Amino acid sequence: MESVSGTPFGVVYLDVPPVTSGLAVGALVAGIASILVSLLVICFGALGANAGGVWASGAFTVLGVLAGVAAIGAGLLGQRQIRRPARPPAVRFTGRGLAVAGISCGAAGALLSLLGLGLALVISLA
């Protein structure tokens, strides 16, 4: 309790428990989705390269890269939200590990999507 000078009153700050950042959770979900889509890109590229699978692989590559970029962006915003200092009545955020995992999964998913598209193009040209 903090007393207010010149008055008989005081200020009490309630203890607010920390909350897991929604941006960090969203980054992890988008990163995992990006990896799953990249596996789809690789499957279409390797198995259906001769039967028009390159077009499907290219379409899913766009989805995988977009999900990866979204995961990276949400993870970086989540880290900033978690790092931000909070005064006692404000809500504190946790989930730094979730944000880092979302950034990592998003980058890996985008890279694997691009590699899968390259694989599909190489197989179709050979």
Side-chain angles (χ1 to χ4, degrees):
M1 187 165 104
E2 183 179 321
S3 64
V4 178
S5 61
T7 66
F9 301 105
V11 176
V12 176
Y13 294 112
L14 297 176
D15 186 29
V16 179
V19 176
T20 303
S21 171
L23 287 168
V25 173
L28 183 60
V29 169
I32 291 172
S34 176
I35 288 177
L36 292 176
V37 170
S38 71
L39 293 176
L40 208 63
V41 169
I42 292 170
C43 288
F44 275 130
L47 298 178
N50 295 329
V54 176
W55 289 102
S57 181
F60 280 108
T61 298
V62 172
L63 181 63
V65 169
L66 285 177
V69 169
I72 292 170
L76 291 174
L77 289 174
Q79 280 186 335
R80 185 180 354 172
Q81 183 183 44
I82 293 164
R83 267 194 320 261
R84 188 181 70 218
R87 295 177 56 129
V91 176
R92 295 177 315 245
F93 290 99
T94 61
R96 183 176 181 274
L98 293 173
V100 170
I103 292 169
S104 302
C105 289
L111 183 66
L112 285 173
S113 291
L114 293 174
L115 289 175
L117 180 63
L119 174 71
L121 290 174
V122 167
I123 290 175
S124 69
L125 294 176

